[in-house]
């Protein structure tokens, strides 16, 4: 992955103060050493996120001066207009297509013309997100700067990040995204703009098949997870992993794969859909395949 066209990133913007957005902001401040402006429409979420970040930084194996410097690099705002001076922005809001389209249309207006506009989406086509930045398909000044930096969760722990180009993405945009992710201490993998990209195209059918094995009685919960942890050396079984990801997220991604490809092998498990209907979403709701 050559990066001869990469531009320098001096200031980062992150949209979304949830688990993913906060993790991205924290790693960028600590590892890449760049000032980060964290944007969220909820002041309460910002306050909670920044307080958690400050506490987390204090636990790192760094000097007090380094910790103070990292904390000073993180600022929060409820105004997307505060991103007028960034070189790179990463959107990390829920997987709601229209929400992302609206955000990117606004970013194209607010951010400098050189700024890279990145999304953390795990399933929405990058080409479609890039198209939201302009009303004229012939004008690629904004859409060529759109790319995906899909970080793995939890961001401070996982090294992997998927870099996905849309049809409009320029070589410079791709190179800058790869270089900046490396500066954050990540190991990038490049994927085509295809349903599910690489990680979810492989991972979600694996999880879905485990749920089908459970619903059809091939094995019970503990046997399914045990054979994978003890037989393939993964850190957790597919059903426990689904709980940690969120069963609603797993279902949403499987539905995208099924819809976009038209391939029956991506049909979501009936049990998975029923559990989401019941509100059993996994760890975040207190109940999924396991109780929390």
């Amino acid at each position: 992955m050559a990066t001869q066209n990469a531009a320098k990133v001096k200031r980062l913007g992150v949209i979304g103060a949830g688990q993913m957005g906060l993790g991205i902001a924290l790693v960028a401040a600590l590892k890449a050493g760049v000032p980060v402006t964290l944007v969220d429409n909820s002041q309460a979420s910002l306050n909670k996120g920044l307080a958690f970040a400050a506490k987390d930084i204090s636990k790192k194996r760094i000097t007090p001066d380094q910790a103070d410097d990292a904390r000073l690099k993180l600022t929060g705002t409820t105004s997307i207009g505060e991103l007028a001076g960034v070189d790179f922005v990463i959107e990390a809001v829920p997987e709601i297509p229209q929400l992302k389209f609206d955000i990117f249309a606004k970013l194209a207006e607010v951010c400098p013309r050189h700024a890279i506009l990145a999304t953390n989406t795990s399933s929405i086509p990058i080409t479609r997100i890039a198209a939201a930045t302009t009303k004229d398909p012939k004008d690629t000044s904004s859409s060529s700067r759109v790319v995906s930096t899909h970080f793995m969760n939890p961001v401070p722990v996982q090294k992997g990040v998927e870099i996905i180009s849309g049809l409009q993405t320029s070589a410079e945009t791709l190179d800058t995204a790869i270089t900046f992710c490396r500066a954050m201490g990540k190991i990038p993998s490049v994927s085509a703009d295809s349903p599910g990209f690489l990680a979810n195209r492989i991972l979600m059918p694996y999880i879905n098949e485990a749920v089908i094995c459970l619903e059809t009685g091939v094995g019970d919960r503990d046997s399914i997870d045990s054979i994978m942890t003890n037989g393939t050396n993964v850190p957790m079984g597919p059903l426990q992993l689904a709980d940690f990801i969120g069963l609603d997220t797993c279902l949403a991604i499987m539905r995208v794969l099924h819809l976009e490809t038209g391939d029956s092998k991506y049909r979501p498990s009936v049990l998975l859909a029923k559990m989401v209907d019941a509100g059993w979403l996994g760890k975040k709701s207190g109940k999924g395949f396991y109780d929390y």
Side-chain angles (χ1 to χ4, degrees):
M1 289 183 286
T3 54
Q4 64 268 25
N5 297 310
K8 179 73 173 176
V9 176
K10 298 177 181 178
R11 180 173 290 274
L12 176 71
V14 176
I15 300 179
Q19 184 179 12
M20 288 300 295
L22 186 63
I24 292 166
L26 189 58
V27 171
L30 282 167
K31 296 288 187 179
V34 296
V36 182
T37 301
L38 185 63
V39 182
D40 197 281
N41 59 8
S42 165
Q43 187 63 52
S45 294
L46 276 174
N47 293 343
K48 182 179 178 181
L50 291 171
F52 175 85
K55 185 177 180 181
D56 190 65
I57 288 169
S58 66
K59 297 177 182 178
K60 303 295 182 185
R61 294 181 180 178
I62 54 180
T63 67
D65 285 347
Q66 288 172 325
D68 289 342
D69 182 60
R71 279 189 286 267
L72 288 172
K73 280 184 166 65
L74 288 172
T75 57
T77 180
T78 56
S79 172
I80 199 169
E82 294 294 316
L83 300 180
V86 302
D87 305 300
F88 202 111
V89 58
I90 301 172
E91 163 273 312
V93 303
E95 292 287 275
I96 303 170
Q98 193 57 53
L99 174 61
K100 292 184 187 283
F101 301 155
D102 291 345
I103 286 172
F104 274 79
K106 187 66 176 177
L107 288 174
E109 296 176 4
V110 169
C111 296
R113 293 182 67 84
H114 71 276
I116 304 301
L117 311 179
T119 174
N120 188 57
T121 185
S122 60
S123 61
I124 301 168
I126 311 310
T127 298
R128 198 177 298 166
I129 292 174
T133 63
T134 178
K135 295 179 181 178
D136 182 1
K138 293 181 290 185
D139 179 9
T140 61
S141 59
S142 294
S143 59
S144 67
R145 297 183 284 124
V146 177
V147 68
S148 175
T149 51
H150 176 214
F151 291 85
M152 301 297 107
N153 190 25
V155 182
V157 176
Q158 301 287 9
K159 292 287 187 182
V161 57
E162 278 184 312
I163 310 293
I164 305 109
S165 294
L167 190 61
Q168 311 94 319
T169 307
S170 70
E172 181 179 352
T173 296
L174 178 61
D175 285 356
T176 302
I178 291 171
T179 300
F180 184 61
C181 286
R182 284 176 176 161
M184 290 175 66
K186 302 303 178 185
I187 302 172
S189 296
V190 177
S191 168
D193 188 14
S194 181
F197 315 133
L198 279 176
N200 285 325
R201 187 73 165 261
I202 298 167
L203 176 63
M204 288 303 160
Y206 158 71
I207 288 175
N208 192 59
E209 192 62 32
V211 182
I212 291 173
C213 284
L214 180 64
E215 79 176 281
T216 56
V218 177
D220 61 24
R221 180 197 70 185
D222 293 344
S223 293
I224 290 168
D225 276 358
S226 176
I227 194 60
M228 297 312 294
T229 56
N230 296 307
T232 65
N233 205 32
V234 291
M236 66 174 66
L239 300 179
Q240 185 183 14
L241 179 58
D243 276 355
F244 274 73
I245 293 170
L247 303 193
D248 52 339
T249 301
C250 294
L251 178 61
I253 295 170
M254 285 305 300
R255 283 174 169 166
V256 167
L257 287 171
H258 192 213
L259 176 66
E260 295 284 340
T261 65
D263 194 327
S264 61
K265 73 179 181 181
Y266 297 117
R267 178 187 62 81
S269 159
V270 173
L271 176 59
L272 181 62
K274 282 183 178 179
M275 292 183 72
V276 172
D277 286 343
W280 298 349
L281 308 182
K283 191 173 186 293
K284 64 185 174 185
S285 69
K287 183 175 179 60
F289 294 108
Y290 295 81
D291 292 330
Y292 299 90

